[in-house]
């Protein structure tokens, strides 16, 4: 796996079957904002990262670590 293009938010969303639109609505941001996070163009601020973890029902650390196996989500 190419770590440079690996995105833990995108992977967690896929694992939880959550769309960018759903996450955007829950966070009160635009779909474009979520898209920039998923494409590694920008990263969310730390408080937003905790909100993302809450919406996806995952540990915030799982969105920060280099762990590639997301089976524990």
């Amino acid at each position: 796996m190419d770590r440079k293009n690996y995105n833990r938010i995108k992977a967690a969303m896929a694992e939880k079957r959550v769309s960018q639109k759903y996450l955007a609505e829950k966070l009160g941001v635009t779909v474009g904002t979520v898209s920039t996070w998923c494409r590694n163009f920008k990263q969310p601020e730390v408080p937003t990262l905790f909100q993302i973890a809450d919406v996806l029902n995952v540990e915030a650390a799982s969105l920060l670590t280099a762990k590639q196996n997301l089976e524990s989500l």
Side-chain angles (χ1 to χ4, degrees):
M1 178 178 299
D2 181 7
R3 286 180 180 238
K4 187 172 161 182
N5 294 322
Y6 185 72
N7 184 285
R8 286 171 285 287
I9 295 172
K10 185 176 179 179
M13 288 172 55
E15 180 74 24
K16 299 295 183 168
R17 299 175 196 242
V18 169
S19 69
Q20 289 183 10
K21 181 179 179 183
Y22 175 84
L23 185 60
E25 288 174 354
K26 290 294 187 180
L27 298 175
V29 299
T30 67
V31 175
T33 297
V34 175
S35 177
T36 62
W37 299 335
C38 290
R39 293 181 293 147
N40 289 327
F41 290 141
K42 290 186 177 181
Q43 298 303 314
E45 298 290 329
V46 173
T48 305
L49 192 67
F50 280 100
Q51 290 178 314
I52 293 167
D54 187 49
V55 170
L56 298 177
N57 195 28
V58 299
E59 294 290 326
S62 71
L63 301 176
L64 295 171
T65 61
K67 184 178 178 183
Q68 292 183 12
N69 182 354
L70 295 174
E71 292 174 1
S72 65
L73 296 178

XYZ file of all heavy atoms in Angstrom:
576
model
N 0.842 -1.177 0.000
C 0.000 0.000 0.000
C 0.886 1.238 0.000
O 1.863 1.317 0.722
C -0.897 -0.008 1.232
C -1.768 1.208 1.330
S -2.867 1.186 2.747
C -3.829 -0.245 2.406
N 0.533 2.199 -0.791
C 1.270 3.453 -0.870
C 0.853 4.340 0.299
O -0.228 4.919 0.291
C 0.974 4.129 -2.209
C 1.722 5.431 -2.392
O 2.582 5.764 -1.557
O 1.442 6.111 -3.388
N 1.705 4.435 1.315
C 1.380 5.212 2.515
C 1.127 6.679 2.203
O 0.357 7.339 2.874
C 2.498 5.106 3.536
C 2.546 3.796 4.213
C 3.696 3.794 5.195
N 3.750 2.517 5.849
C 3.678 2.377 7.154
N 3.569 3.421 7.924
N 3.723 1.184 7.683
N 1.792 7.191 1.195
C 1.648 8.602 0.846
C 0.206 8.931 0.463
O -0.282 10.015 0.754
C 2.592 8.907 -0.319
C 2.678 10.340 -0.690
C 3.792 10.488 -1.712
C 3.694 11.743 -2.494
N 4.737 11.830 -3.499
N -0.481 8.007 -0.174
C -1.851 8.239 -0.613
C -2.888 7.617 0.315
O -4.074 7.723 0.059
C -2.044 7.711 -2.031
C -1.226 8.503 -3.027
O -1.096 9.705 -2.903
N -0.650 7.824 -3.984
N -2.442 6.963 1.380
C -3.363 6.316 2.313
C -4.012 7.372 3.192
O -3.341 8.259 3.719
C -2.594 5.306 3.172
C -3.474 4.501 4.071
C -4.300 3.518 3.543
C -3.495 4.714 5.437
C -5.117 2.774 4.365
C -4.304 3.977 6.262
C -5.113 3.005 5.719
O -5.927 2.257 6.530
N -5.303 7.296 3.345
C -6.028 8.267 4.142
C -6.903 7.535 5.142
O -7.826 6.813 4.755
C -6.860 9.163 3.231
C -7.563 10.240 4.000
O -8.544 9.969 4.682
N -7.070 11.459 3.911
N -6.618 7.694 6.437
C -7.345 6.979 7.477
C -8.795 7.437 7.610
O -9.657 6.636 7.934
C -6.586 7.103 8.794
C -5.333 6.223 8.796
C -4.447 6.478 9.989
N -3.678 7.711 9.915
C -2.628 7.899 9.129
N -2.225 6.961 8.327
N -1.976 9.038 9.140
N -9.073 8.698 7.359
C -10.464 9.161 7.423
C -11.271 8.481 6.318
O -12.346 7.937 6.561
C -10.557 10.694 7.309
C -9.904 11.358 8.520
C -12.016 11.143 7.167
C -9.771 12.862 8.413
N -10.733 8.500 5.117
C -11.411 7.871 3.983
C -11.596 6.371 4.228
O -12.666 5.817 3.956
C -10.601 8.107 2.708
C -11.268 7.608 1.462
C -10.423 7.981 0.250
C -11.035 7.479 -1.025
N -10.221 7.857 -2.192
N -10.573 5.721 4.759
C -10.656 4.284 5.034
C -11.711 3.990 6.098
O -12.490 3.043 5.965
C -9.299 3.752 5.461
N -11.754 4.803 7.145
C -12.754 4.612 8.199
C -14.156 4.847 7.662
O -15.095 4.121 8.003
C -12.463 5.543 9.377
N -14.310 5.850 6.806
C -15.618 6.105 6.195
C -16.059 4.908 5.357
O -17.224 4.505 5.419
C -15.565 7.366 5.325
C -15.465 8.643 6.116
S -15.173 10.091 5.071
C -16.524 9.990 3.915
N -15.145 4.342 4.606
C -15.476 3.174 3.776
C -15.852 1.986 4.650
O -16.832 1.285 4.371
C -14.304 2.822 2.869
N -15.088 1.777 5.710
C -15.355 0.657 6.627
C -16.728 0.798 7.274
O -17.450 -0.172 7.446
C -14.263 0.605 7.695
C -14.427 -0.511 8.687
C -14.090 -1.872 8.125
O -13.324 -1.959 7.157
O -14.615 -2.862 8.668
N -17.089 2.020 7.625
C -18.381 2.293 8.275
C -19.504 2.542 7.272
O -20.639 2.775 7.661
C -18.250 3.499 9.214
C -17.255 3.299 10.330
C -17.703 2.206 11.274
C -16.725 2.079 12.430
N -17.247 1.238 13.494
N -19.153 2.555 5.988
C -20.129 2.798 4.913
C -20.819 4.156 5.067
O -22.042 4.275 4.996
C -21.138 1.673 4.821
C -20.475 0.348 4.513
C -21.456 -0.783 4.538
N -20.730 -2.026 4.616
C -20.774 -2.971 3.703
N -21.513 -2.822 2.640
N -20.089 -4.074 3.855
N -19.989 5.160 5.279
C -20.459 6.531 5.465
C -20.004 7.350 4.260
O -18.849 7.281 3.858
C -19.872 7.115 6.776
C -20.110 8.601 6.878
C -20.450 6.394 7.977
N -20.908 8.121 3.715
C -20.576 8.961 2.556
C -19.977 10.285 3.007
O -20.126 10.706 4.158
C -21.833 9.233 1.730
O -22.720 10.092 2.444
N -19.323 10.940 2.067
C -18.790 12.275 2.342
C -19.924 13.233 2.682
O -19.786 14.076 3.570
C -17.989 12.787 1.151
C -16.687 12.069 0.950
C -15.877 12.633 -0.200
O -16.190 13.681 -0.751
N -14.814 11.931 -0.568
N -21.045 13.092 2.004
C -22.194 13.960 2.258
C -22.710 13.780 3.685
O -22.973 14.758 4.382
C -23.316 13.662 1.257
C -24.527 14.538 1.447
C -25.609 14.242 0.442
C -26.823 15.118 0.684
N -27.915 14.824 -0.225
N -22.819 12.528 4.132
C -23.292 12.251 5.488
C -22.352 12.874 6.519
O -22.797 13.554 7.450
C -23.397 10.737 5.707
C -23.774 10.356 7.112
C -25.109 10.327 7.504
C -22.803 10.015 8.039
C -25.462 9.979 8.801
C -23.139 9.668 9.338
C -24.469 9.647 9.710
O -24.815 9.300 10.998
N -21.045 12.637 6.345
C -20.078 13.179 7.293
C -20.118 14.702 7.292
O -20.110 15.328 8.358
C -18.668 12.672 6.971
C -17.572 13.072 7.952
C -17.858 12.550 9.358
C -16.214 12.580 7.472
N -20.209 15.297 6.119
C -20.275 16.760 6.014
C -21.488 17.305 6.757
O -21.382 18.286 7.500
C -20.307 17.181 4.544
N -22.628 16.667 6.578
C -23.847 17.127 7.246
C -23.720 17.011 8.760
O -24.134 17.911 9.490
C -25.054 16.332 6.752
C -25.457 16.685 5.338
C -26.558 15.794 4.779
O -26.953 14.804 5.440
O -27.012 16.081 3.656
N -23.160 15.926 9.238
C -23.001 15.718 10.679
C -22.029 16.724 11.303
O -22.190 17.097 12.460
C -22.522 14.295 10.978
C -23.561 13.234 10.725
C -24.693 13.389 11.694
C -25.672 12.264 11.596
N -26.786 12.410 12.544
N -21.039 17.137 10.520
C -20.028 18.063 11.037
C -20.348 19.522 10.759
O -19.689 20.417 11.280
C -18.658 17.729 10.423
C -18.095 16.353 10.734
C -16.813 16.128 9.960
C -17.864 16.188 12.232
N -21.328 19.763 9.908
C -21.678 21.137 9.557
C -20.655 21.790 8.643
O -20.404 22.991 8.739
N -20.053 20.973 7.772
C -19.091 21.488 6.793
C -19.586 21.110 5.400
O -20.558 20.384 5.250
C -17.664 20.916 7.035
C -17.149 21.323 8.411
C -17.622 19.410 6.873
N -18.900 21.583 4.386
C -19.298 21.251 3.022
C -18.729 19.902 2.612
O -17.735 19.422 3.180
C -18.807 22.310 2.020
O -17.383 22.260 1.966
C -19.282 23.704 2.400
N -19.336 19.310 1.607
C -18.823 18.063 1.033
C -17.426 18.312 0.474
O -16.552 17.453 0.572
C -19.777 17.516 -0.057
C -19.181 16.295 -0.737
C -21.126 17.167 0.557
N -17.206 19.494 -0.070
C -15.891 19.844 -0.595
C -14.813 19.812 0.480
O -13.680 19.397 0.225
N -15.165 20.240 1.681
C -14.208 20.197 2.787
C -13.838 18.758 3.120
O -12.660 18.425 3.260
C -14.790 20.899 4.029
O -15.001 22.276 3.724
C -13.870 20.780 5.231
N -14.833 17.896 3.222
C -14.569 16.483 3.502
C -13.735 15.879 2.374
O -12.806 15.111 2.613
C -15.880 15.694 3.707
C -15.609 14.202 3.871
C -16.652 16.230 4.910
N -14.046 16.253 1.166
C -13.298 15.757 0.011
C -11.822 16.135 0.093
O -10.948 15.316 -0.206
C -13.912 16.302 -1.278
O -13.162 15.885 -2.388
N -11.533 17.367 0.527
C -10.126 17.775 0.637
C -9.401 16.956 1.694
O -8.222 16.658 1.545
C -9.961 19.282 0.936
O -10.554 19.601 2.180
C -10.535 20.131 -0.168
N -10.105 16.580 2.771
C -9.497 15.712 3.785
C -9.236 14.324 3.214
O -8.180 13.744 3.438
C -10.392 15.569 5.004
C -10.710 16.827 5.742
C -9.968 17.979 5.785
C -11.855 17.072 6.548
N -10.585 18.913 6.575
C -11.749 18.387 7.059
C -12.973 16.320 6.896
C -12.705 18.934 7.900
C -13.921 16.865 7.730
C -13.797 18.167 8.225
N -10.210 13.801 2.484
C -10.104 12.438 1.946
C -9.045 12.326 0.849
O -8.543 11.232 0.591
C -11.459 11.975 1.413
S -12.663 11.668 2.722
N -8.725 13.426 0.209
C -7.707 13.407 -0.845
C -6.353 13.905 -0.357
O -5.432 14.089 -1.140
C -8.183 14.242 -2.039
C -9.383 13.594 -2.736
C -9.856 14.389 -3.924
N -10.403 15.677 -3.464
C -10.319 16.813 -4.144
N -9.732 16.861 -5.314
N -10.847 17.914 -3.662
N -6.233 14.097 0.946
C -4.982 14.530 1.575
C -4.513 15.912 1.124
O -3.331 16.213 1.181
C -3.854 13.515 1.353
C -4.062 12.256 2.131
O -4.610 12.278 3.232
N -3.644 11.131 1.572
N -5.437 16.764 0.687
C -5.059 18.127 0.336
C -4.971 19.003 1.583
O -4.183 19.938 1.634
C -6.029 18.745 -0.666
C -5.943 18.143 -2.037
C -7.084 17.928 -2.776
C -4.731 17.790 -2.597
C -7.018 17.377 -4.053
C -4.647 17.243 -3.857
C -5.795 17.034 -4.589
N -5.808 18.722 2.548
C -5.814 19.417 3.832
C -6.158 18.397 4.902
O -6.714 17.344 4.615
C -6.860 20.527 3.869
C -6.549 21.714 3.010
C -7.575 22.801 3.225
C -7.226 24.034 2.412
N -8.186 25.104 2.622
N -5.837 18.742 6.131
C -6.180 17.898 7.266
C -7.088 18.680 8.198
O -6.940 19.898 8.343
C -4.916 17.452 8.005
C -3.987 16.614 7.158
C -4.663 15.377 6.588
O -5.360 14.663 7.293
N -4.477 15.143 5.295
N -8.027 17.988 8.841
C -8.914 18.689 9.768
C -8.153 19.147 11.012
O -7.137 18.555 11.387
C -9.965 17.635 10.125
C -9.292 16.336 9.880
C -8.338 16.563 8.752
N -8.654 20.188 11.634
C -8.110 20.639 12.914
C -8.373 19.547 13.955
O -9.284 18.725 13.795
C -8.792 21.943 13.342
C -8.565 23.099 12.389
C -7.132 23.608 12.413
O -6.497 23.520 13.478
O -6.657 24.083 11.366
N -7.614 19.563 15.031
C -7.723 18.520 16.057
C -9.143 18.407 16.633
O -9.676 17.302 16.735
C -6.670 18.722 17.167
C -6.898 17.753 18.324
C -5.272 18.545 16.596
N -9.806 19.515 16.992
C -11.175 19.372 17.507
C -12.113 18.713 16.487
O -12.973 17.908 16.851
C -11.617 20.803 17.808
C -10.339 21.558 17.996
C -9.361 20.918 17.058
N -11.926 19.037 15.223
C -12.744 18.444 14.164
C -12.429 16.966 14.026
O -13.330 16.148 13.791
C -12.529 19.169 12.829
O -12.790 20.558 13.007
C -13.428 18.615 11.742
N -11.187 16.598 14.201
C -10.793 15.196 14.133
C -11.531 14.380 15.201
O -12.009 13.282 14.930
C -9.283 15.065 14.304
C -8.695 13.718 13.982
C -8.822 13.415 12.490
C -7.250 13.662 14.401
N -11.668 14.952 16.392
C -12.413 14.272 17.446
C -13.900 14.169 17.087
O -14.547 13.161 17.389
C -12.224 14.972 18.791
C -10.923 14.617 19.457
C -9.847 15.481 19.383
C -10.767 13.416 20.129
C -8.643 15.159 19.985
C -9.566 13.082 20.738
C -8.494 13.959 20.658
N -14.432 15.180 16.426
C -15.829 15.119 15.969
C -15.995 14.028 14.912
O -16.988 13.300 14.918
C -16.275 16.470 15.396
C -16.415 17.547 16.428
C -16.805 18.872 15.797
O -16.232 19.285 14.788
N -17.770 19.540 16.397
N -15.038 13.938 14.003
C -15.076 12.901 12.968
C -15.074 11.526 13.621
O -15.872 10.653 13.262
C -13.886 13.045 11.992
C -14.020 14.329 11.177
C -13.778 11.827 11.072
C -12.758 14.714 10.418
N -14.181 11.340 14.596
C -14.110 10.060 15.306
C -15.437 9.731 15.972
O -15.898 8.585 15.935
C -12.981 10.095 16.327
N -16.076 10.746 16.555
C -17.363 10.540 17.209
C -18.435 10.130 16.199
O -19.185 9.177 16.431
C -17.773 11.813 17.948
C -19.008 11.624 18.798
O -19.054 10.639 19.561
O -19.927 12.468 18.708
N -18.495 10.826 15.076
C -19.493 10.507 14.042
C -19.274 9.098 13.493
O -20.223 8.341 13.284
C -19.464 11.539 12.890
C -20.307 11.085 11.711
C -19.929 12.905 13.388
N -18.006 8.733 13.290
C -17.691 7.422 12.721
C -17.641 6.318 13.776
O -17.463 5.153 13.444
C -16.359 7.478 11.967
C -16.318 8.418 10.771
C -14.921 8.423 10.169
C -17.356 8.028 9.733
N -17.777 6.715 15.041
C -17.737 5.766 16.151
C -16.427 4.971 16.161
O -16.429 3.744 16.197
C -18.954 4.837 16.125
C -19.141 4.103 17.434
O -18.748 4.602 18.486
N -19.711 2.929 17.371
N -15.321 5.710 16.063
C -13.985 5.122 16.120
C -13.157 5.913 17.126
O -13.527 7.028 17.507
C -13.270 5.132 14.747
C -14.041 4.315 13.727
C -13.047 6.545 14.240
N -12.051 5.354 17.544
C -11.116 6.064 18.403
C -10.387 7.116 17.568
O -9.975 6.831 16.440
C -10.102 5.095 19.004
C -10.705 4.090 19.966
C -11.174 4.751 21.258
O -10.532 5.723 21.704
O -12.178 4.289 21.807
N -10.233 8.296 18.106
C -9.524 9.359 17.387
C -8.112 8.911 17.033
O -7.606 9.245 15.962
C -9.500 10.640 18.210
N -7.490 8.139 17.901
C -6.125 7.664 17.642
C -6.057 6.834 16.370
O -5.045 6.854 15.673
C -5.623 6.847 18.825
N -7.133 6.137 16.037
C -7.131 5.318 14.817
C -7.095 6.185 13.564
O -6.720 5.717 12.492
C -8.337 4.386 14.774
O -9.533 5.108 14.535
N -7.464 7.450 13.697
C -7.410 8.375 12.567
C -6.059 9.078 12.484
O -5.771 9.754 11.500
C -8.526 9.418 12.685
C -9.948 8.868 12.718
C -10.935 10.003 12.946
C -10.278 8.101 11.460
N -5.240 8.897 13.508
C -3.945 9.574 13.569
C -2.755 8.655 13.358
O -1.715 9.094 12.922
C -3.777 10.251 14.935
C -4.736 11.385 15.237
C -4.603 11.798 16.696
C -4.472 12.563 14.324
N -2.910 7.397 13.691
C -1.773 6.483 13.658
C -1.542 5.934 12.265
O -2.420 5.971 11.408
C -1.983 5.305 14.625
O -3.141 4.580 14.218
C -2.158 5.789 16.041
N -0.367 5.390 12.074
C 0.002 4.822 10.783
C -0.547 3.414 10.608
O -0.266 2.756 9.617
C 1.519 4.795 10.642
N -1.346 2.956 11.530
C -1.914 1.614 11.457
C -2.741 1.470 10.189
O -3.657 2.242 9.938
C -2.794 1.372 12.690
C -3.365 -0.001 12.770
C -4.168 -0.117 14.045
C -4.807 -1.471 14.143
N -5.639 -1.582 15.340
N -2.407 0.477 9.389
C -3.107 0.291 8.126
C -4.284 -0.669 8.240
O -5.197 -0.637 7.441
C -2.147 -0.219 7.060
C -1.130 0.817 6.678
C -0.223 0.340 5.585
O -0.486 -0.676 4.949
N 0.858 1.031 5.357
N -4.263 -1.534 9.241
C -5.338 -2.501 9.406
C -6.449 -1.856 10.226
O -6.301 -1.651 11.410
C -4.800 -3.742 10.109
C -5.861 -4.811 10.262
O -7.016 -4.590 9.936
N -5.459 -5.950 10.765
N -7.556 -1.564 9.603
C -8.640 -0.881 10.280
C -9.730 -1.842 10.750
O -10.835 -1.432 11.050
C -9.242 0.187 9.361
C -8.299 1.322 9.018
C -8.935 2.248 8.000
C -7.927 2.112 10.255
N -9.407 -3.129 10.847
C -10.397 -4.101 11.283
C -10.899 -3.815 12.692
O -11.996 -4.194 13.048
C -9.817 -5.510 11.214
C -9.565 -5.973 9.786
C -8.865 -7.309 9.744
O -8.578 -7.897 10.808
O -8.614 -7.780 8.619
N -10.087 -3.131 13.491
C -10.476 -2.833 14.865
C -11.476 -1.689 14.958
O -11.949 -1.382 16.027
C -9.245 -2.507 15.693
O -8.646 -1.329 15.216
N -11.785 -1.049 13.841
C -12.754 0.062 13.879
C -14.057 -0.496 14.268
O -15.029 -0.526 14.216
C -12.830 0.779 12.530
C -11.560 1.483 12.092
C -11.761 2.090 10.732
C -11.193 2.576 13.069
